[in-house]
Coordinates of all heavy atoms in Angstrom, one line a residue:
M1 N 113.1 95.5 63.3 CA 113.5 95.1 64.7 C 113.0 93.7 64.9 O 111.9 93.4 64.7 CB 112.8 96.1 65.7 CG 113.2 95.8 67.1 SD 112.3 96.9 68.3 CE 113.3 98.3 68.2
S2 N 113.9 92.8 65.3 CA 113.6 91.4 65.4 C 113.1 91.1 66.8 O 113.2 91.9 67.7 CB 114.9 90.6 65.1 OG 115.8 90.8 66.1
L3 N 112.6 89.9 66.9 CA 112.0 89.5 68.2 C 113.1 89.4 69.2 O 112.8 89.7 70.4 CB 111.3 88.1 68.0 CG 110.6 87.5 69.2 CD1 109.6 88.4 69.7 CD2 110.1 86.1 69.0
G4 N 114.3 89.0 68.8 CA 115.4 88.9 69.8 C 115.7 90.2 70.4 O 116.0 90.4 71.6
S5 N 115.8 91.3 69.5 CA 116.1 92.6 70.1 C 114.9 93.2 71.0 O 115.2 93.9 71.9 CB 116.4 93.6 68.9 OG 115.2 93.8 68.2
K6 N 113.7 92.8 70.7 CA 112.6 93.2 71.5 C 112.7 92.6 72.9 O 112.5 93.2 73.9 CB 111.3 92.9 70.9 CG 110.9 93.7 69.7 CD 109.5 93.3 69.2 CE 109.1 94.2 68.0 NZ 107.8 93.8 67.4
L7 N 113.1 91.3 72.9 CA 113.2 90.6 74.2 C 114.4 91.2 75.0 O 114.3 91.4 76.2 CB 113.5 89.1 74.0 CG 112.2 88.3 73.5 CD1 112.6 86.8 73.3 CD2 111.1 88.4 74.5
S8 N 115.5 91.5 74.3 CA 116.6 92.1 75.0 C 116.3 93.5 75.6 O 116.7 93.9 76.6 CB 117.9 92.1 74.2 OG 117.7 93.0 73.0
N9 N 115.5 94.2 74.8 CA 115.0 95.5 75.2 C 114.2 95.4 76.5 O 114.3 96.2 77.4 CB 114.3 96.3 74.2 CG 115.2 96.8 73.1 OD1 116.3 96.9 73.3 ND2 114.6 97.1 71.9
A10 N 113.3 94.4 76.5 CA 112.5 94.2 77.7 C 113.3 93.8 78.9 O 113.1 94.2 80.0 CB 111.4 93.1 77.4
K11 N 114.3 92.9 78.7 CA 115.2 92.5 79.7 C 116.0 93.7 80.3 O 116.1 93.9 81.5 CB 116.2 91.5 79.3 CG 115.5 90.2 79.1 CD 116.6 89.1 78.6 CE 115.9 87.8 78.4 NZ 116.9 86.7 78.0
V12 N 116.5 94.6 79.4 CA 117.2 95.8 79.8 C 116.3 96.7 80.6 O 116.6 97.2 81.7 CB 117.8 96.5 78.6 CG1 118.4 97.8 79.0 CG2 118.9 95.6 78.0
S13 N 115.0 96.9 80.1 CA 114.1 97.8 80.8 C 113.7 97.2 82.2 O 113.7 98.0 83.1 CB 112.8 97.9 79.9 OG 113.0 98.5 78.7
F14 N 113.6 95.9 82.3 CA 113.2 95.4 83.6 C 114.4 95.5 84.5 O 114.2 95.7 85.7 CB 112.8 93.9 83.4 CG 112.4 93.3 84.7 CD1 111.2 93.6 85.3 CD2 113.2 92.3 85.3 CE1 110.8 93.1 86.6 CE2 112.9 91.8 86.6 CZ 111.7 92.2 87.1
A15 N 115.6 95.3 84.0 CA 116.8 95.4 84.8 C 116.9 96.9 85.3 O 117.3 97.1 86.5 CB 118.1 95.0 84.0
I16 N 116.7 97.8 84.6 CA 116.8 99.3 84.9 C 115.6 99.5 86.0 O 115.9 100.2 87.0 CB 116.5 100.2 83.8 CG1 117.8 100.1 82.8 CG2 116.4 101.6 84.2 CD1 117.6 100.8 81.5
F17 N 114.5 99.0 85.8 CA 113.4 99.2 86.8 C 113.7 98.5 88.1 O 113.6 99.1 89.2 CB 112.1 98.6 86.2 CG 110.9 98.6 87.2 CD1 110.3 99.8 87.4 CD2 110.5 97.4 87.9 CE1 109.2 99.8 88.3 CE2 109.4 97.5 88.7 CZ 108.8 98.7 89.0
K18 N 114.3 97.3 88.1 CA 114.7 96.6 89.3 C 115.8 97.4 90.0 O 115.8 97.6 91.2 CB 115.2 95.3 88.9 CG 115.2 94.3 90.0 CD 115.4 92.8 89.4 CE 116.5 92.2 90.1 NZ 116.7 90.8 89.5
R19 N 116.8 98.0 89.3 CA 117.8 98.7 89.9 C 117.2 100.0 90.5 O 117.6 100.4 91.6 CB 118.8 99.1 88.8 CG 120.0 99.9 89.3 CD 120.8 100.6 88.2 NE 119.9 101.7 87.7 CZ 120.1 102.2 86.5 NH1 121.1 101.8 85.7 NH2 119.3 103.1 86.0
D20 N 116.3 100.7 89.8 CA 115.7 101.9 90.4 C 115.0 101.6 91.7 O 115.0 102.3 92.6 CB 114.8 102.5 89.4 CG 115.5 103.2 88.2 OD1 116.8 103.3 88.3 OD2 114.8 103.5 87.2
I21 N 114.2 100.5 91.7 CA 113.4 100.1 92.9 C 114.5 99.8 94.1 O 114.2 100.3 95.2 CB 112.5 98.9 92.7 CG1 111.5 99.2 91.7 CG2 111.9 98.4 94.0 CD1 110.5 100.3 92.1
K22 N 115.5 99.1 93.8 CA 116.5 98.9 94.9 C 117.1 100.2 95.4 O 117.2 100.4 96.6 CB 117.6 98.0 94.3 CG 117.3 96.6 94.2 CD 118.5 95.7 93.7 CE 118.1 94.3 93.4 NZ 119.2 93.5 92.9
R23 N 117.4 101.1 94.5 CA 118.0 102.4 94.9 C 117.0 103.2 95.7 O 117.3 103.9 96.6 CB 118.5 103.2 93.7 CG 119.8 102.6 93.1 CD 120.2 103.5 91.9 NE 121.4 103.0 91.4 CZ 122.0 103.5 90.3 NH1 121.5 104.6 89.8 NH2 123.1 103.0 89.9
L24 N 115.7 103.1 95.3 CA 114.6 103.8 96.0 C 114.5 103.3 97.4 O 114.3 104.1 98.3 CB 113.3 103.7 95.3 CG 112.1 104.5 95.8 CD1 112.3 105.9 95.8 CD2 110.9 104.0 95.0
L25 N 114.6 102.0 97.6 CA 114.4 101.4 98.9 C 115.6 101.8 99.8 O 115.5 101.7 101.1 CB 114.3 99.9 98.8 CG 112.9 99.5 98.2 CD1 112.9 98.0 98.0 CD2 111.7 100.0 98.9
M26 N 116.7 102.0 99.3 CA 117.9 102.4 100.1 C 118.0 103.9 100.5 O 118.7 104.3 101.3 CB 119.2 102.1 99.3 CG 119.3 100.6 98.9 SD 119.3 99.6 100.3 CE 121.0 99.5 100.7
N27 N 117.1 104.7 99.9 CA 117.1 106.2 100.2 C 115.8 106.5 100.8 O 114.8 106.6 100.1 CB 117.4 106.9 98.9 CG 117.5 108.3 99.1 OD1 117.3 108.9 100.2 ND2 118.0 109.1 98.2
P28 N 115.7 106.6 102.1 CA 114.4 106.9 102.8 C 113.8 108.2 102.3 O 112.5 108.3 102.3 CB 114.7 106.9 104.3 CG 116.1 106.8 104.4 CD 116.8 106.5 103.0
V29 N 114.5 109.2 102.1 CA 113.9 110.5 101.6 C 113.3 110.4 100.3 O 112.1 110.8 100.1 CB 115.0 111.6 101.6 CG1 114.5 112.9 101.1 CG2 115.6 111.8 103.0
A30 N 114.0 109.7 99.4 CA 113.3 109.5 98.1 C 112.1 108.6 98.1 O 111.1 108.8 97.4 CB 114.4 108.8 97.1
L31 N 112.1 107.6 99.0 CA 110.9 106.8 99.2 C 109.7 107.6 99.8 O 108.6 107.4 99.3 CB 111.3 105.7 100.2 CG 110.2 104.6 100.5 CD1 109.9 103.9 99.2 CD2 110.7 103.6 101.5
V32 N 110.0 108.5 100.7 CA 108.9 109.2 101.3 C 108.4 110.2 100.2 O 107.1 110.4 100.1 CB 109.4 110.0 102.5 CG1 108.4 111.1 103.0 CG2 109.7 109.1 103.7
V33 N 109.2 110.8 99.5 CA 108.8 111.8 98.4 C 107.9 111.0 97.4 O 106.9 111.5 96.9 CB 110.0 112.5 97.8 CG1 109.6 113.2 96.5 CG2 110.6 113.4 98.8
T34 N 108.5 109.8 96.9 CA 107.7 109.0 95.9 C 106.4 108.6 96.4 O 105.4 108.7 95.7 CB 108.6 107.8 95.5 OG1 109.8 108.2 95.1 CG2 107.9 107.0 94.5
L35 N 106.3 108.1 97.7 CA 105.0 107.8 98.2 C 104.1 108.9 98.4 O 102.8 108.9 98.1 CB 105.2 107.1 99.6 CG 105.8 105.7 99.5 CD1 106.1 105.2 100.9 CD2 105.0 104.8 98.7
G36 N 104.6 110.1 98.7 CA 103.8 111.3 98.8 C 103.2 111.7 97.5 O 102.0 112.1 97.4
V37 N 104.1 111.6 96.5 CA 103.6 112.0 95.1 C 102.5 111.1 94.6 O 101.6 111.4 93.9 CB 104.8 112.0 94.1 CG1 104.4 112.0 92.7 CG2 105.7 113.2 94.4
C38 N 102.5 109.8 95.1 CA 101.5 108.9 94.7 C 100.2 108.9 95.6 O 99.2 108.8 95.1 CB 102.1 107.4 94.9 SG 103.3 107.0 93.7
V39 N 100.4 109.3 96.8 CA 99.3 109.2 97.7 C 98.4 110.6 97.9 O 97.2 110.5 97.9 CB 99.7 108.8 99.1 CG1 98.6 108.9 100.2 CG2 100.2 107.3 99.1
I40 N 99.2 111.6 97.9 CA 98.5 112.9 98.1 C 97.5 113.2 97.0 O 96.4 113.7 97.3 CB 99.5 114.1 98.2 CG1 100.2 113.9 99.6 CG2 98.9 115.4 98.1 CD1 101.3 114.8 99.8
P41 N 97.7 113.0 95.7 CA 96.7 113.3 94.7 C 95.4 112.4 94.9 O 94.3 112.9 94.7 CB 97.3 113.0 93.4 CG 98.7 113.2 93.6 CD 99.0 112.7 95.0
S42 N 95.6 111.2 95.3 CA 94.4 110.3 95.5 C 93.6 110.8 96.7 O 92.4 110.8 96.8 CB 94.8 108.9 95.6 OG 95.6 108.6 96.8
L43 N 94.3 111.3 97.8 CA 93.6 111.8 99.0 C 92.8 113.1 98.6 O 91.7 113.2 99.1 CB 94.6 112.1 100.1 CG 95.2 110.9 100.8 CD1 96.3 111.3 101.8 CD2 94.2 110.0 101.4
Y44 N 93.4 113.9 97.8 CA 92.8 115.1 97.3 C 91.5 114.8 96.5 O 90.5 115.4 96.7 CB 93.8 115.9 96.5 CG 93.2 117.2 95.9 CD1 93.0 118.3 96.7 CD2 92.9 117.3 94.6 CE1 92.5 119.4 96.2 CE2 92.3 118.5 94.0 CZ 92.2 119.5 94.8 OH 91.6 120.6 94.3
A45 N 91.7 113.8 95.6 CA 90.5 113.4 94.8 C 89.4 112.8 95.7 O 88.3 113.2 95.5 CB 90.9 112.3 93.8
W46 N 89.7 111.9 96.6 CA 88.7 111.4 97.5 C 88.0 112.5 98.3 O 86.8 112.5 98.6 CB 89.3 110.3 98.4 CG 89.3 109.0 97.8 CD1 90.4 108.4 97.3 CD2 88.2 108.2 97.3 NE1 90.1 107.2 96.7 CE2 88.8 107.0 96.7 CE3 86.8 108.3 97.5 CZ2 88.0 106.0 96.2 CZ3 86.0 107.3 97.0 CH2 86.6 106.2 96.3
Y47 N 88.7 113.4 98.9 CA 88.2 114.5 99.6 C 87.2 115.3 98.8 O 86.1 115.6 99.2 CB 89.3 115.4 100.1 CG 88.8 116.7 100.8 CD1 88.4 116.6 102.1 CD2 88.8 117.9 100.2 CE1 88.0 117.7 102.8 CE2 88.3 119.0 100.9 CZ 88.0 118.9 102.2 OH 87.5 120.0 102.8
N48 N 87.5 115.5 97.5 CA 86.6 116.3 96.6 C 85.4 115.5 96.2 O 84.2 115.9 96.1 CB 87.3 116.8 95.4 CG 88.1 118.0 95.7 OD1 87.6 119.0 96.4 ND2 89.3 118.0 95.3
I49 N 85.6 114.1 96.1 CA 84.5 113.3 95.7 C 83.5 113.2 96.8 O 82.2 113.3 96.7 CB 84.9 111.9 95.4 CG1 85.7 111.9 94.0 CG2 83.9 110.8 95.3 CD1 86.5 110.6 93.7
V50 N 83.9 113.0 98.0 CA 83.1 113.0 99.2 C 82.4 114.3 99.4 O 81.1 114.3 99.7 CB 83.8 112.6 100.5 CG1 83.1 112.7 101.8 CG2 84.3 111.1 100.3
A51 N 83.0 115.4 99.2 CA 82.4 116.7 99.5 C 81.4 117.0 98.4 O 80.4 117.7 98.8 CB 83.5 117.8 99.3
N52 N 81.5 116.5 97.2 CA 80.5 116.8 96.2 C 79.4 115.7 95.9 O 78.6 115.8 95.0 CB 81.2 117.0 94.9 CG 82.0 118.3 95.0 OD1 81.5 119.4 95.4 ND2 83.2 118.3 94.5
W53 N 79.4 114.6 96.7 CA 78.6 113.5 96.5 C 77.2 113.8 97.2 O 77.1 114.2 98.4 CB 79.2 112.2 97.2 CG 78.4 111.1 97.1 CD1 77.5 110.7 96.1 CD2 78.4 110.0 98.0 NE1 77.0 109.5 96.3 CE2 77.5 109.0 97.5 CE3 79.1 109.7 99.2 CZ2 77.3 107.8 98.2 CZ3 78.8 108.5 99.8 CH2 77.9 107.6 99.3
D54 N 76.1 113.7 96.4 CA 74.8 113.9 97.0 C 74.3 112.6 97.5 O 73.9 111.7 96.8 CB 73.9 114.4 95.9 CG 72.5 114.8 96.4 OD1 72.3 114.8 97.6 OD2 71.6 115.0 95.6
R55 N 74.3 112.4 98.8 CA 74.0 111.2 99.4 C 72.5 110.9 99.3 O 72.0 109.8 99.6 CB 74.4 111.1 100.9 CG 75.9 111.2 101.0 CD 76.4 111.1 102.5 NE 77.8 111.1 102.6 CZ 78.5 112.1 102.7 NH1 78.0 113.3 102.9 NH2 79.8 112.1 102.8
T56 N 71.7 111.9 99.1 CA 70.2 111.7 99.0 C 69.7 111.2 97.7 O 68.7 110.7 97.5 CB 69.5 112.9 99.5 OG1 69.8 114.0 98.6 CG2 69.8 113.3 100.9
E57 N 70.6 111.4 96.6 CA 70.1 111.1 95.3 C 70.0 109.5 95.1 O 69.1 109.1 94.5 CB 71.2 111.6 94.3 CG 70.8 111.4 92.9 CD 71.8 112.0 92.0 OE1 72.7 112.7 92.4 OE2 71.7 111.7 90.8
I58 N 70.9 108.7 95.5 CA 70.9 107.3 95.3 C 69.7 106.7 96.0 O 68.9 105.9 95.4 CB 72.2 106.7 95.7 CG1 73.3 107.2 94.8 CG2 72.1 105.2 95.6 CD1 74.7 106.8 95.1
P59 N 69.5 106.9 97.3 CA 68.3 106.2 97.9 C 67.0 106.7 97.4 O 66.1 105.9 97.2 CB 68.4 106.6 99.4 CG 69.8 107.0 99.6 CD 70.3 107.5 98.3
R60 N 66.9 107.9 97.0 CA 65.6 108.4 96.4 C 65.4 107.7 95.1 O 64.2 107.3 94.8 CB 65.7 109.9 96.2 CG 64.4 110.5 95.7 CD 64.5 112.0 95.5 NE 65.4 112.7 96.4 CZ 66.2 113.6 96.0 NH1 66.4 113.9 94.8 NH2 67.0 114.3 96.9
A61 N 66.4 107.4 94.3 CA 66.2 106.8 93.0 C 65.9 105.3 93.2 O 65.1 104.7 92.4 CB 67.5 106.9 92.2
L62 N 66.4 104.7 94.3 CA 66.1 103.3 94.5 C 64.7 103.1 95.1 O 64.1 102.0 94.9 CB 67.1 102.7 95.5 CG 68.5 102.6 95.0 CD1 69.4 102.1 96.1 CD2 68.6 101.7 93.8
K63 N 64.1 104.1 95.9 CA 62.8 103.9 96.5 C 61.7 104.0 95.4 O 60.7 103.3 95.5 CB 62.6 104.9 97.6 CG 63.4 104.7 98.8 CD 63.2 105.7 99.8 CE 64.1 105.6 101.0 NZ 63.9 106.6 102.0
S64 N 61.7 104.9 94.6 CA 60.6 105.2 93.6 C 61.0 104.8 92.2 O 61.9 105.5 91.7 CB 60.1 106.6 93.7 OG 61.0 107.4 93.2
P65 N 60.4 103.8 91.6 CA 60.8 103.5 90.2 C 60.3 104.5 89.2 O 60.8 104.6 88.1 CB 60.1 102.1 90.0 CG 59.0 102.0 91.0 CD 59.5 102.9 92.1
S66 N 59.2 105.2 89.6 CA 58.7 106.2 88.6 C 59.4 107.6 88.9 O 59.8 107.9 90.0 CB 57.1 106.4 88.9 OG 56.9 106.8 90.2
P67 N 59.4 108.4 87.9 CA 60.0 109.7 88.0 C 59.3 110.6 89.0 O 58.0 110.5 89.0 CB 60.1 110.3 86.6 CG 59.3 109.5 85.8 CD 59.0 108.2 86.5
T68 N 59.9 111.3 89.8 CA 59.2 112.2 90.8 C 59.5 113.6 90.5 O 60.6 113.9 89.9 CB 59.7 111.8 92.2 OG1 61.1 112.0 92.3 CG2 59.3 110.4 92.6
T69 N 58.8 114.5 91.0 CA 59.1 115.9 90.9 C 59.4 116.4 92.3 O 58.9 116.0 93.2 CB 57.8 116.7 90.4 OG1 56.7 116.5 91.2 CG2 57.4 116.2 89.0
I70 N 60.3 117.4 92.3 CA 60.8 117.9 93.5 C 60.1 119.3 93.7 O 60.1 120.1 92.8 CB 62.3 118.2 93.5 CG1 63.0 116.8 93.4 CG2 62.7 118.8 94.8 CD1 64.4 116.9 93.2
R71 N 59.3 119.4 94.8 CA 58.6 120.6 95.0 C 59.5 121.5 95.9 O 59.9 121.2 97.0 CB 57.3 120.4 95.7 CG 56.4 119.6 94.8 CD 55.1 119.4 95.5 NE 54.3 118.6 94.7 CZ 53.5 117.6 95.1 NH1 53.5 117.3 96.3 NH2 52.8 116.9 94.2
H72 N 59.7 122.7 95.5 CA 60.5 123.7 96.2 C 59.5 124.5 97.1 O 58.4 125.0 96.6 CB 61.2 124.6 95.3 CG 62.3 123.9 94.5 ND1 63.4 123.4 95.0 CD2 62.2 123.6 93.2 CE1 64.1 122.8 94.1 NE2 63.4 122.9 92.9
P73 N 59.9 124.8 98.4 CA 59.0 125.6 99.2 C 59.0 127.0 98.6 O 59.9 127.5 98.0 CB 59.7 125.5 100.5 CG 61.1 125.1 100.3 CD 61.1 124.3 99.1
E74 N 57.8 127.7 98.9 CA 57.7 129.1 98.4 C 58.6 129.9 99.3 O 58.6 129.8 100.5 CB 56.2 129.5 98.5 CG 55.4 128.8 97.5 CD 54.0 129.5 97.5 OE1 53.8 130.7 97.9 OE2 53.1 128.7 97.2
R75 N 59.3 130.8 98.7 CA 60.2 131.7 99.3 C 59.7 133.1 99.1 O 59.2 133.4 98.1 CB 61.6 131.6 98.8 CG 62.2 130.3 98.9 CD 63.6 130.2 98.4 NE 64.1 128.8 98.5 CZ 65.0 128.4 97.7 NH1 65.5 129.1 96.7 NH2 65.4 127.1 97.8
P76 N 59.8 133.9 100.2 CA 59.4 135.3 100.0 C 60.3 136.0 99.0 O 61.5 135.8 99.0 CB 59.6 135.9 101.5 CG 60.4 135.0 102.2 CD 60.3 133.6 101.5
S77 N 59.7 136.8 98.2 CA 60.4 137.5 97.1 C 61.0 138.8 97.6 O 61.8 139.4 96.8 CB 59.5 137.7 95.9 OG 58.4 138.6 96.3
G78 N 60.7 139.3 98.7 CA 61.2 140.5 99.2 C 60.3 141.7 98.8 O 60.6 142.8 99.2
R79 N 59.3 141.4 98.1 CA 58.3 142.6 97.7 C 57.2 142.6 98.7 O 56.7 141.6 99.1 CB 57.9 142.4 96.3 CG 58.9 142.4 95.3 CD 58.4 142.2 93.9 NE 59.5 141.8 93.0 CZ 59.3 141.2 91.9 NH1 58.1 141.1 91.4 NH2 60.3 140.9 91.1
A80 N 56.7 143.8 98.9 CA 55.6 144.0 99.8 C 54.3 143.7 99.1 O 54.1 143.7 97.9 CB 55.6 145.3 100.4

């Protein structure tokens, strides 16, 4: 494959991409579906990231440079 054919392949690929974008902008339903396919997964990811983020971990690590131990309060075992 020569350099000339690679350049022509790039030109053809760009022309196809440009044609597809023009057609997408002319069809509002396709535009909404395409944007939805791009945006909904990222919203889902951010929702899960925020839900699982431990907001107390970062400030605790910044305040004390030495390792700390976490003490758990004693819980009743249910035995008499």
Side-chain angles (χ1 to χ4, degrees):
M1 187 178 279
S2 67
L3 182 60
S5 65
K6 287 182 181 178
L7 289 177
S8 65
N9 285 342
K11 287 181 181 179
V12 170
S13 297
F14 184 69
I16 292 171
F17 177 73
K18 199 165 126 178
R19 183 196 67 199
D20 288 346
I21 295 298
K22 284 182 183 178
R23 287 182 180 178
L24 181 65
L25 293 175
M26 300 303 271
N27 187 347
V29 174
L31 183 62
V32 168
V33 169
T34 304
L35 290 175
V37 166
C38 293
V39 171
I40 289 176
S42 61
L43 292 176
Y44 178 74
W46 277 108
Y47 177 77
N48 283 312
I49 289 168
V50 170
N52 293 311
W53 181 30
D54 184 11
R55 292 181 179 96
T56 60
E57 183 178 350
I58 295 171
R60 190 182 320 134
L62 293 176
K63 285 181 186 176
S64 70
S66 62
T68 59
T69 58
I70 299 173
R71 297 185 182 134
H72 297 285
E74 290 186 29
R75 297 181 186 152
S77 63
R79 297 180 199 166

